[in-house]
Amino acid sequence: IHERLVGSEMCIRDSYKIMGLNNRKENRKMEQTIQLSDHFGYRRLIRFTIPSILMMIFTSIYGVVDGFFVSNFVGKTSFAAVNFIMPFLMITGVMGFMFGTGGSALIAKIMGEGKKEKAQKIFSLLIMATIICGIVIGAISIIFLRPVAVFLGARGEMLEECIIYGRIILVALPFLMLQYAFSSLAVTAEKPKLGLIVTVTAGVINMVGDALFMAVFQWGIAGAAMASALGQIVGGIIPLVYFARKNTSRLRIVRPEWDGRALLRICTNGCSELMSNISMSVVGMLYNTQLMKYAGEDGVTAYGTIMYVNFIFIAIFIGYATGVAPVISYHYGAGNTKELKSLLKKSSALILISSALMFGVSELMAKPLAGIFVGYDAALLDMTAHGFSIYAVSFIFAGIAIFGSAFFTALNDGLTSAVISFLRTLLFECASVMILPLILGLNGIWCSIVVAEFMAVVVTLIFLVVKRKKYGYW
């Protein structure tokens, strides 16, 4: 009996040890899993947004790799053609950003209100709308691509290169729009790492395709387009399959129900991102026109190089804004003004530190980065490095304006967000790029972005002060 009692006691002790071990494992697992409803200190905020930041950086990097292969293995004219038609191609895909950011803000807010089933249905409707829009816009764009390229000023060999590249890219447009939409929605589903995995996978496929199709098979600009299109197709399909099946996230594709009011709110709320991307493309076209006038084809090539590098730096701000936006939306829906104040304060500090670091790095690395793309031409290299050293001043201001627009989108205040984006990316920059070259010549073109970003910061700060009582974040 004594032996049995001792044995039973030992079993009980072992059971408690196992239970304690399991509890510790469960606690560690809970600590590693970050939810939208959590309190976010600096460490948790960085951990939650890092996947989105890395996702945007990697997207920019494989765009840079595209440019490197086109410039070094296909030629200067093809590189200019890609940069010339790219703004138009970006416009065709921006509805994916609109659906993603606008839908993410609305869905996170609804989740914060505790309406899980409604959030699932709106999520599913959003995915269906993205696919349909991608097919329709892609087909129309393929038909009208040549007239658009001619209208923008493409001629001769450059025109034909624009057409070849653009038509291949537009075939994959529905998948690109899905990838854009899921980059925000994955964060709302509390799966920020999914977006990063998808982006890395798509990017690796794109870069391997670049090396094979251009360097090995020598398919020219068509090879560049096929590599990009293949990456976009993979980037759209992977998250679509994930959310269509049973998964561990907070969202899943179910049978959608028509909700025109919800779609309208999504479009209204996401119109700032739509406006921002369209404006950037329009401004890109205007830059190309001005550069052709003041510096010729070399000016377009220099601007394209600066844009590739710029995308990597700006990606940090965009990635952070994408990652933190669903958290803001959730706490806004839950009525947690204390957390809103904390998020705004911490985000502002992180952005200001990042802005200073980016400016310093970009000034030091202007010439080496330019040399990656145009090192084969000394005059072009000098023009590009000089232009980038001026352009880099804009990094001091850009992060504040980007976060400010995303902040109001997250609060479901699409109008304020759209005004900031419109002024920042269209009005201020267009006015600057038209007026400053008359005074400063080519340097005026490089200075345009600096003036525009500074003015956008002033507008953002005014809105933050004016709206503070309405939303309770200050």
Side-chain angles (χ1 to χ4, degrees):
I1 293 172
H2 176 71
E3 289 176 355
R4 288 180 181 178
L5 287 172
V6 171
S8 298
E9 185 178 353
M10 291 176 65
C11 287
I12 292 170
R13 288 176 181 172
D14 289 342
S15 297
Y16 279 127
K17 287 180 181 179
I18 293 170
M19 288 172 65
L21 181 62
N22 288 337
N23 285 335
R24 286 195 295 273
K25 287 181 178 178
E26 188 65 29
N27 288 335
R28 283 197 297 268
K29 186 177 180 182
M30 288 177 68
E31 287 176 3
Q32 292 172 357
T33 304
I34 301 175
Q35 299 179 332
L36 298 180
S37 56
D38 291 346
H39 167 69
F40 283 77
Y42 282 106
R43 184 177 178 183
R44 181 163 294 189
L45 196 55
I46 293 170
R47 280 180 55 203
F48 191 73
T49 56
I50 275 291
S52 296
I53 295 171
L54 293 177
M55 177 179 66
M56 290 297 175
I57 291 174
F58 197 82
T59 299
S60 301
I61 288 173
Y62 73 72
V64 169
V65 172
D66 274 350
F68 171 81
F69 275 98
V70 173
S71 180
N72 289 277
F73 289 92
V74 185
K76 187 163 66 174
T77 299
S78 296
F79 186 54
V82 171
N83 292 310
F84 194 85
I85 200 63
M86 186 59 71
F88 171 72
L89 298 178
M90 289 176 65
I91 288 176
T92 62
V94 293
M95 285 193 72
F97 278 120
M98 181 186 73
F99 285 140
T101 54
S104 178
L106 179 60
I107 292 167
K109 179 176 179 291
I110 292 171
M111 288 164 59
E113 294 168 352
K115 302 173 183 177
K116 181 180 177 180
E117 186 177 346
K118 184 178 180 182
Q120 300 274 25
K121 290 180 179 179
I122 292 176
F123 171 72
S124 304
L125 177 63
L126 183 60
I127 299 306
M128 184 181 70
T130 303
I131 294 171
I132 293 172
C133 286
I135 293 170
V136 173
I137 295 172
I140 294 172
S141 299
I142 289 172
I143 294 170
F144 291 100
L145 183 61
R146 181 176 290 273
V148 169
V150 171
F151 173 76
L152 293 174
R155 299 288 185 271
E157 183 184 354
M158 185 174 167
L159 172 62
E160 298 307 317
E161 298 275 80
C162 288
I163 302 304
I164 293 170
Y165 185 84
R167 285 181 175 166
I168 295 173
I169 290 290
L170 288 168
V171 171
L173 185 63
F175 302 98
L176 177 63
M177 287 177 62
L178 279 174
Q179 185 177 356
Y180 284 160
F182 279 124
S183 65
S184 295
L185 293 169
V187 181
T188 306
E190 296 178 349
K191 291 290 180 180
K193 291 181 181 177
L194 173 64
L196 176 59
I197 292 169
V198 169
T199 301
V200 170
T201 304
V204 169
I205 290 171
N206 188 344
M207 290 186 285
V208 171
D210 282 333
L212 286 175
F213 300 158
M214 283 185 277
V216 179
F217 299 151
Q218 297 183 353
W219 289 348
I221 199 166
M226 284 189 283
S228 295
L230 188 60
Q232 291 165 7
I233 290 169
V234 171
I237 286 179
I238 292 176
L240 183 64
V241 172
Y242 175 83
F243 285 107
R245 303 173 63 185
K246 184 179 288 187
N247 59 73
T248 57
S249 77
R250 297 189 67 171
L251 294 173
R252 184 186 175 188
I253 297 174
V254 297
R255 181 185 290 275
E257 291 182 4
W258 175 254
D259 190 337
R261 187 176 178 183
L263 275 180
L264 180 61
R265 287 185 65 186
I266 287 169
C267 293
T268 303
N269 200 38
C271 68
S272 59
E273 279 64 34
L274 178 70
M275 176 61 67
S276 178
N277 283 276
I278 290 177
S279 299
M280 286 170 60
S281 298
V282 171
V283 169
M285 296 175 194
L286 186 57
Y287 265 90
N288 287 333
T289 301
Q290 289 287 77
L291 285 164
M292 286 292 285
K293 179 180 177 181
Y294 284 89
E297 192 175 295
D298 279 359
V300 176
T301 303
Y303 177 65
T305 301
I306 292 171
M307 285 299 97
Y308 280 122
V309 180
N310 171 66
F311 290 154
I312 295 177
F313 286 87
I314 292 296
I316 296 173
F317 297 133
I318 297 174
Y320 179 81
T322 301
V324 77
V327 181
I328 295 169
S329 298
Y330 184 94
H331 286 287
Y332 172 59
N336 190 352
T337 56
K338 183 179 179 181
E339 191 66 21
L340 283 180
K341 292 177 182 178
S342 174
L343 287 166
L344 178 60
K345 180 181 177 181
K346 291 178 173 64
S347 295
S348 300
L350 291 171
I351 288 168
L352 289 173
I353 293 170
S354 301
S355 299
L357 290 173
M358 270 186 250
F359 170 67
V361 171
S362 59
E363 288 293 340
L364 290 172
M365 297 295 292
K367 193 156 189 174
L369 289 171
I372 295 173
F373 298 91
V374 293
Y376 53 81
D377 188 322
L380 182 56
L381 174 60
D382 288 340
M383 178 193 292
T384 305
H386 174 69
F388 185 58
S389 65
I390 298 173
Y391 195 100
V393 179
S394 65
F395 298 142
I396 298 173
F397 310 110
I400 300 170
I402 290 170
F403 174 75
S405 178
F407 184 70
F408 285 108
T409 297
L411 294 174
N412 285 257
D413 188 348
L415 179 60
T416 301
S417 180
V419 170
I420 294 173
S421 294
F422 172 78
L423 293 175
R424 170 180 171 260
T425 57
L426 189 62
L427 184 62
F428 292 151
E429 201 162 350
C430 283
S432 299
V433 82
M434 292 298 292
I435 296 171
L436 291 180
L438 299 175
I439 305 169
L440 302 173
L442 183 59
N443 283 338
I445 298 177
W446 308 132
C447 289
S448 300
I449 183 66
V450 180
V451 174
E453 295 288 13
F454 173 76
M455 295 300 296
V457 168
V458 173
V459 172
T460 300
L461 293 176
I462 290 171
F463 275 120
L464 284 171
V465 172
V466 170
K467 301 269 185 176
R468 68 189 188 281
K469 291 183 180 179
K470 179 179 179 179
Y471 297 110
Y473 52 72
W474 198 324

